[in-house]
Amino acid sequence: MNSKTWMCLICGWMYDETAGAPDHGLAPGTPWDDVPMNWTCPECGARKEDFEMVEI
């Protein structure tokens, strides 16, 4: 599986699907499609729709 990285367009916080965000309720390996719609950026509170996939 190709892991993707998503960046918050508001503050630049990065979500890596491989690493997940265990401190924020997302287990390692959680694909972006499985992140709940009501999840918000742990840094600035932006909504999921404010993230964009980025090439690392």
Side-chain angles (χ1 to χ4, degrees):
M1 172 186 131
N2 260 353
S3 175
K4 295 182 175 79
T5 301
W6 300 80
M7 183 179 76
C8 176
L9 297 173
I10 308 300
C11 74
W13 187 82
M14 307 287 260
Y15 174 71
D16 179 346
E17 292 180 341
T18 302
D23 294 346
H24 308 291
L26 301 175
T30 302
W32 187 248
D33 287 346
D34 292 349
V35 172
M37 282 308 294
N38 64 350
W39 182 84
T40 57
C41 176
E43 289 291 313
C44 72
R47 296 175 299 199
K48 184 179 172 184
E49 63 205 37
D50 292 320
F51 279 73
E52 185 174 273
M53 190 175 69
V54 291
E55 296 292 329
I56 298 295

